[in-house]
Amino acid sequence: MGTDQRQADPNRTLELLWDVQAPPTRGPKPALSLRQVVDTGIAIADAEGVAAVSMRRVADELGYTTMSLYRYVPSKTDLLDLMVEHAAEVPDLPPELTGWRDKLRWWANDTAEIYRRRRWALDVPLNTPPMGPNQVKRMEQGLSALDETGLSGGEMLGILVVLSGYVRGHAQLATALADVEQRTGTPQEAWDQAYGRMLTTFVNADDHPTLARIVAEDGFEGYAEPDDEWLGDDFTFGLELVLDGIDRYVERRRPAMSPE
Amino acid sequence: MGTDQRQADPNRTLELLWDVQAPPTRGPKPALSLRQVVDTGIAIADAEGVAAVSMRRVADELGYTTMSLYRYVPSKTDLLDLMVEHAAEVPDLPPELTGWRDKLRWWANDTAEIYRRRRWALDVPLNTPPMGPNQVKRMEQGLSALDETGLSGGEMLGILVVLSGYVRGHAQLATALADVEQRTGTPQEAWDQAYGRMLTTFVNADDHPTLARIVAEDGFEGYAEPDDEWLGDDFTFGLELVLDGIDRYVERRRPAMSPE
DNA sequence: TAGAACTGTGTACAACATAAACCAAGCGCT
DNA sequence: AGCGCTTGGTTTATGTTGTACACAGTTCTA
């Protein structure tokens, strides 16, 4: 395959992401628009996953030739990046939220919600720093949530990296468990059975004492088969954990300050 | 491409991961071994990234034809999964560690260390539940670390999912920032400049008040260009955050118990 | 000793990203 | 008014990919 991407042009990427480009005056009118191309890609990914998105496929869907897309997008890699950027729309922060913790919880949940609706976004490799409008807007939102804590810019950024790292990582793990069927073409139950067989066959008390005990106690129910709501209680549990950690950090940094 | 993976066989996958299979008596002796194939794949990925791993490439490296590999591995997807499993070796937990927090910190750092040494492992899509020996050993280790807390099996599993989710997510974000050059073929500085230009051009005080303020305060130094040590202070910071959260949870669950 | 099981090979195919050459379209200058 | 430059979409072509399939050689078993 030729996916190597020998060279990338950050400026061009930036132009595309922020949709700034002197609209050309000379040639014939474009029949398509970047927007259409990206949206078509998103539609395909929504329906069949990111693996189904090929240049050919997108072009066919639009009724044009494969190569015509390259007038709008430098490479498939860029197309995927643009798809992620456009798919990650950021709603405004609900004004009724007051404390940083509520805001940050909403922020994390909303980010997770993106991954829930567009699971394919997790399959797009993260090649460049996030610098599209939506990504930046999301960052701004997170920062504004933390603003009242009085932390430094660096500290706030660190916290956001931690939090979005958690959201992304957890979403990925959850997806791996929940989407086996779609990803492997083999029914869920077959995997569950295999997992169970693995636990009973290879996990013995000598090598895996703790695990063996939990398995014996049936502590694995509900983990081999994840809950239907995908990012459910588990995510919330971890989120509160992280928020607690942030809380403790914030408290420690300004030991005796009035909340206002 | 034919990467579709129409059907997967969990039992076969399990056999391969755990290296159990009745060694055949009939035919000619195999010239290769699964181990060799996987190790060759790992070597290539170590040197040039996972994108450089192709069946052809692995076979060439071994001096055999492409198709010969399919006698050892059902598909490329399985090969990648096996590579991850083998690359994620789990050292024994240092015996001098006593409390759950120290153990868990070591556990998270060791997991991160894997991702540091084998960044390509983050690029392998997570298609199936982790059920290889090393993955299971790592789980056992995490559980044993938490054993003393007296939490239930479900709670401990939840905590581990949270923690490994954090590690994975953070590592991915950090890699995206640190490896731009290798991934895009464009020098680091070009991206940094583009990022800076993005911040100054598109981030105005109206749409991004908090961000704009931080940029004005130079609070972005050290973030556009990540520290050389990759998962550095930032990771540690977030890790302690998560550990704090866990700590608070543990404390809350057994309010007045002696630490021993 | 015949056949079954198993090995590695050679050939073949469809799908992929994308480079290069091409022609038609349309504005901007002289 | 018209020439030319810029731009848009198509055509053609190239190299790479994963893997299905048929085959010929090897080794044990019945």
Side-chain angles (χ1 to χ4, degrees):
Chain A
M1 205 195 316
T3 313
D4 265 10
Q5 174 105 346
R6 276 290 151 241
Q7 269 285 77
D9 180 357
N11 294 332
R12 183 75 207 285
T13 301
L14 221 48
E15 278 175 13
L16 291 171
L17 283 170
W18 290 84
D19 195 25
V20 286
Q21 43 209 340
T25 60
R26 297 295 170 108
K29 306 286 178 200
L32 296 171
S33 70
L34 176 60
R35 189 64 208 227
Q36 279 181 75
V37 173
V38 173
D39 283 347
T40 309
I42 291 179
I44 298 171
D46 280 345
E48 305 170 46
V50 74
V53 177
S54 70
M55 292 293 156
R56 171 109 152 70
R57 179 69 192 284
V58 173
D60 279 359
E61 213 86 24
L62 287 164
Y64 288 82
T65 54
T66 308
M67 288 310 291
S68 69
L69 301 186
Y70 286 89
R71 295 281 164 189
Y72 300 89
V73 154
S75 73
K76 186 185 176 182
T77 308
D78 289 78
L79 173 57
L80 291 178
D81 287 348
L82 286 165
M83 284 167 54
V84 172
E85 161 64 27
H86 275 86
E89 267 168 317
V90 185
D92 282 328
L93 208 138
E96 66 269 22
L97 298 178
T98 53
W100 65 262
R101 184 167 179 141
D102 284 351
K103 291 181 192 167
L104 224 50
R105 180 186 296 114
W106 179 89
W107 186 81
N109 275 317
D110 184 72
T111 308
E113 176 67 13
I114 298 282
Y115 292 139
R116 191 188 61 78
R117 280 204 305 265
R118 327 274 218 188
R119 303 201 186 180
W120 53 267
L122 291 166
D123 294 328
V124 177
L126 216 44
N127 286 323
T128 71
M131 42 189 211
N134 279 324
Q135 316 272 358
V136 170
K137 184 176 177 190
R138 196 171 290 278
M139 195 187 339
E140 162 68 22
Q141 221 171 51
L143 290 172
S144 78
L146 282 167
D147 206 15
E148 61 178 281
T149 60
L151 297 176
S152 78
E155 286 171 313
M156 296 197 293
L157 280 172
I159 288 179
L160 288 187
V161 171
V162 167
L163 195 51
S164 46
Y166 165 66
V167 174
R168 184 181 175 87
H170 194 101
Q172 245 169 21
L173 294 181
T175 301
L177 295 182
D179 288 356
V180 198
E181 181 151 349
Q182 200 208 331
R183 294 172 105 94
T184 63
T186 302
Q188 177 81 252
E189 306 95 31
W191 285 104
D192 291 347
Q193 282 174 15
Y195 201 84
R197 186 161 38 248
M198 183 273 285
L199 285 179
T200 54
T201 310
F202 300 116
V203 173
N204 56 350
D206 290 337
D207 293 338
H208 311 91
T210 323
L211 191 50
R213 207 195 61 225
I214 295 178
V215 171
E217 287 169 359
D218 256 1
F220 248 84
E221 291 315 302
Y223 260 92
E225 7 181 322
D227 42 1
D228 282 329
E229 43 170 334
W230 190 57
L231 283 184
D233 300 338
D234 233 28
F235 175 73
T236 308
F237 170 71
L239 177 56
E240 295 303 323
L241 230 62
V242 177
L243 290 175
D244 277 346
I246 298 174
D247 183 39
R248 191 180 279 195
Y249 181 80
V250 170
E251 290 302 322
R252 205 174 280 157
R253 285 281 290 150
R254 46 162 205 182
M257 256 183 164
S258 70
E260 194 61 16
Chain B
M1 205 195 319
T3 312
D4 263 11
Q5 174 105 345
R6 276 289 151 241
Q7 270 284 79
D9 180 357
N11 293 333
R12 184 75 207 284
T13 300
L14 220 47
E15 278 175 13
L16 292 171
L17 282 170
W18 290 85
D19 195 24
V20 285
Q21 44 208 339
T25 61
R26 297 293 171 109
K29 308 286 178 200
L32 297 171
S33 69
L34 176 59
R35 190 63 208 229
Q36 280 180 75
V37 174
V38 174
D39 283 347
T40 309
I42 292 180
I44 297 172
D46 280 345
E48 305 169 46
V50 75
V53 178
S54 70
M55 293 292 158
R56 171 110 152 72
R57 178 68 192 283
V58 173
D60 279 359
E61 212 87 23
L62 286 164
Y64 287 82
T65 55
T66 308
M67 287 311 291
S68 70
L69 301 186
Y70 286 89
R71 294 285 166 190
Y72 300 89
V73 153
S75 73
K76 185 184 177 182
T77 308
D78 289 76
L79 173 57
L80 290 178
D81 288 348
L82 286 165
M83 283 168 53
V84 172
E85 160 64 26
H86 275 86
E89 267 168 316
V90 185
D92 282 329
L93 209 139
E96 66 269 21
L97 298 177
T98 54
W100 66 262
R101 185 169 179 140
D102 284 351
K103 291 182 192 165
L104 224 50
R105 180 186 296 114
W106 179 90
W107 186 82
N109 275 317
D110 184 72
T111 308
E113 176 67 14
I114 299 282
Y115 292 140
R116 192 188 61 78
R117 280 204 306 265
R118 327 274 217 187
R119 304 201 186 179
W120 53 267
L122 291 167
D123 294 328
V124 177
L126 214 44
N127 287 323
T128 72
M131 42 190 211
N134 279 324
Q135 316 270 0
V136 171
K137 185 176 177 190
R138 195 171 291 277
M139 196 188 335
E140 161 68 22
Q141 222 171 48
L143 290 172
S144 78
L146 282 166
D147 206 16
E148 60 179 283
T149 60
L151 297 175
S152 77
E155 287 171 311
M156 295 197 291
L157 281 172
I159 288 178
L160 289 188
V161 170
V162 168
L163 196 51
S164 45
Y166 166 66
V167 174
R168 184 182 175 87
H170 195 100
Q172 245 169 22
L173 294 181
T175 302
L177 296 182
D179 288 356
V180 198
E181 182 152 349
Q182 199 209 331
R183 293 173 107 94
T184 62
T186 303
Q188 178 80 252
E189 306 94 32
W191 285 104
D192 292 348
Q193 282 175 15
Y195 201 85
R197 187 161 38 249
M198 182 274 284
L199 285 179
T200 54
T201 310
F202 300 116
V203 172
N204 55 349
D206 290 338
D207 293 338
H208 310 90
T210 323
L211 191 49
R213 207 195 62 225
I214 294 178
V215 171
E217 286 169 2
D218 258 0
F220 249 83
E221 292 314 303
Y223 260 90
E225 8 182 320
D227 43 1
D228 283 329
E229 43 170 337
W230 189 57
L231 283 183
D233 299 338
D234 234 28
F235 176 73
T236 308
F237 170 72
L239 177 55
E240 294 304 323
L241 230 63
V242 177
L243 290 174
D244 277 345
I246 297 172
D247 184 39
R248 190 179 281 194
Y249 181 80
V250 170
E251 290 303 321
R252 206 174 279 158
R253 286 280 290 148
R254 47 164 202 181
M257 257 187 164
S258 70
E260 193 62 13

